[in-house]
Amino acid sequence: MRNNLFVRGVYILFITVLLYACAKDKGYYSPISQEAIYKGNLYSYLKSKPGIYDSLVKVIDRIGLQKKLEDSTVTLFALTNANFQLAIQNLNNTLSISDKPAQYLNSVKYEILDSLLCQYIIQGRIASDSLNSQDGKDVRGIRYGYPMHIGLNKQSSSGYINGGPTIVDFSDTRRSVFNRNWVTTETSSLNIQTDNAVVHVLNPDHVFGFNKFVSQIIYIPPPENLFIKFKGLGSASKETSGGPNAVEASKYVFDGNPETKFFLSSPGQFYLQWDFPVEVLANSYTLRSANDIQDRDPTDWTLQGLDGESGKWILLDSRQGEEFDERFQLRVFFFTNTKTYKAYRLNIARMHGGNDFQLADWTMNRNQ
């Protein structure tokens, strides 16, 4: 009898504890935001975390952002040492394949570190509770105004939708309005407060530079601030059937907007041309693929420069079998040139897999 009473007592105690636990958490995890507060500016905060932000501080010092992080109101998507280590490993694995020397944060070109890091620093304080809009926020990085996007992402827990931890999605829009073209990473912690900033820490598996760190160092494509872009008057030997003001007219291949394009139906061979007010010395050009069918991408072409003395078109570059692996992909093509020309002509000879042609953008440049 005594044993039965003991067992019954244990059973009742177990049921009571179980019911109390279920009543306490209501069957799901409801996270409480615990915001860390640091008394000091953002730069001081990063310096106060040795072993975590050493690489970030090194890059900040190299590109001269210390004062900005000391006295400006910003939001930082903080990169830890792990994020930079992944980027450097990927870079040196790529360089070793072609027997090129390894590079590190103290040897990578200033312009590359500058353009990439500035994407992670947003003007103004943006805490996670200001992101309740379903569409999130379109924001821009400091210095160069590169378009980024921030969105709230509430995870599920114990089968309860939105009952789990809250994270923030941070996206490189790649200058596209379509989120299918974005590259997105997530935060591991949120809303660290300093005197002048909000800090959201990125997951350790994020690679610094999103998918651009390695490609920019090997110049496919280079960062925009590494180029001198020449401005002139663009034209084409053939126009789209809707005329020069159609939605896919030739003028859009010269406008620098990746969301617009030039489209021609079965044009055969034709050319695009840049005319400049004065002769310019170009040694590179960029082409950006357009938004849809890959078969319309150019694959064979030649580049010519107009010699002002003889009036002849001089062959500067020739390409065959080129491919654009992605939509809105910007590729750079280098050629050897020591002479100035007043006009440059891109002769399109063949498309990737059909007769129709499309291209988002073409620029003539000189790499610094």
Side-chain angles (χ1 to χ4, degrees):
M1 177 67 69
R2 182 175 298 174
N3 288 339
N4 288 340
L5 289 174
F6 176 76
V7 171
R8 183 179 297 177
V10 171
Y11 178 75
I12 292 172
L13 178 62
F14 173 75
I15 295 298
T16 301
V17 170
L18 181 63
L19 291 174
Y20 174 77
C22 289
K24 183 179 180 182
D25 69 7
K26 302 179 182 179
Y28 63 90
Y29 169 64
S30 181
I32 300 174
S33 175
Q34 296 182 350
E35 299 180 348
I37 298 176
Y38 176 83
K39 295 299 183 181
N41 62 58
L42 174 55
Y43 184 77
S44 297
Y45 168 73
L46 298 175
K47 294 277 286 185
S48 74
K49 300 293 182 180
I52 300 175
Y53 298 122
D54 310 79
S55 297
L56 178 56
V57 171
K58 179 189 289 288
V59 175
I60 288 169
D61 290 345
R62 272 204 66 192
I63 66 177
L65 275 178
Q66 176 179 346
K67 184 170 176 30
K68 183 77 172 177
L69 301 192
E70 288 176 336
D71 57 19
S72 297
T73 302
V74 296
T75 297
L76 170 68
F77 285 83
L79 297 139
T80 64
N81 291 344
N83 304 135
F84 286 99
Q85 183 179 6
L86 287 172
I88 292 296
Q89 285 178 345
N90 291 345
L91 170 63
N92 288 330
N93 288 340
T94 302
L95 292 174
S96 67
I97 295 174
S98 54
D99 295 323
K100 293 183 178 179
Q103 291 200 48
Y104 301 95
L105 291 178
N106 58 358
S107 61
V108 171
K109 281 193 174 183
Y110 161 92
E111 293 87 355
I112 293 172
L113 295 178
D114 184 27
S115 63
L116 293 181
L117 186 62
C118 286
Q119 295 180 215
Y120 293 87
I121 308 170
I122 310 300
Q123 200 70 42
R125 302 175 74 113
I126 305 174
S128 61
D129 59 7
S130 69
L131 300 171
N132 291 323
S133 167
Q134 183 177 357
D135 296 331
K137 279 189 178 182
D138 293 320
V139 295
R140 291 185 176 270
I142 61 171
R143 278 191 178 168
Y144 306 107
Y146 188 88
M148 305 292 288
H149 186 271
I150 308 174
L152 204 60
N153 186 348
K154 293 186 176 181
Q155 303 293 293
S156 299
S157 178
S158 301
Y160 182 81
I161 297 175
N162 295 337
T166 296
I167 62 175
V168 168
D169 288 335
F170 186 52
S171 301
D172 178 351
T173 67
R174 302 169 68 190
R175 300 190 182 276
S176 172
V177 296
F178 304 108
N179 57 18
R180 65 176 180 270
N181 299 314
W182 298 356
V183 181
T184 300
T185 189
E186 297 175 346
T187 56
S188 61
S189 61
L190 297 174
N191 302 328
I192 299 168
Q193 306 285 331
T194 75
D195 289 350
N196 66 314
V198 175
V199 180
H200 306 302
V201 184
L202 295 175
N203 272 344
D205 60 357
H206 171 67
V207 181
F208 168 59
F210 291 85
N211 61 349
K212 297 183 294 191
F213 182 69
V214 174
S215 63
Q216 289 198 348
I217 290 175
I218 60 176
Y219 299 106
I220 311 174
E224 296 180 9
N225 60 336
L226 198 61
F227 268 172
I228 295 175
K229 291 185 178 180
F230 298 118
K231 296 181 179 180
L233 178 65
S235 61
S237 62
K238 295 183 180 180
E239 185 57 88
T240 190
S241 59
N245 293 316
V247 294
E248 295 178 342
S250 62
K251 64 182 179 181
Y252 293 114
V253 81
F254 306 105
D255 68 352
N257 181 357
E259 301 296 336
T260 61
K261 70 178 182 182
F262 178 30
F263 172 79
L264 283 174
S265 178
S266 301
Q269 295 193 1
F270 69 103
Y271 63 81
L272 309 174
Q273 185 168 318
W274 274 113
D275 289 276
F276 300 103
V278 296
E279 291 189 346
V280 297
L281 194 161
N283 57 10
S284 60
Y285 58 100
T286 65
L287 301 177
R288 188 189 294 272
S289 60
N291 63 326
D292 52 19
I293 306 171
Q294 185 185 33
D295 283 350
R296 298 173 177 173
D297 295 342
T299 190
D300 293 359
W301 63 81
T302 59
L303 179 76
Q304 296 174 304
L306 179 60
D307 181 69
E309 296 179 1
S310 65
K312 294 180 179 180
W313 288 95
I314 309 300
L315 180 65
L316 301 174
D317 192 39
S318 179
R319 304 280 172 160
Q320 293 83 38
E322 297 290 345
E323 291 193 7
F324 293 83
D325 299 323
E326 302 174 1
R327 301 303 82 203
F328 305 104
Q329 181 183 9
L330 180 67
R331 295 190 59 195
V332 60
F333 302 91
F334 293 92
F335 59 96
T336 301
N337 180 37
T338 58
K339 183 175 174 56
T340 59
Y341 297 96
K342 196 170 183 180
Y344 291 84
R345 179 176 288 182
L346 190 70
N347 303 287
I348 308 297
R350 186 170 67 92
M351 269 60 79
H352 183 270
N355 297 320
D356 294 344
F357 163 84
Q358 68 176 13
L359 190 65
D361 286 302
W362 170 40
T363 68
M364 293 301 305
N365 320 287
R366 182 169 73 247
N367 56 302
Q368 302 185 69

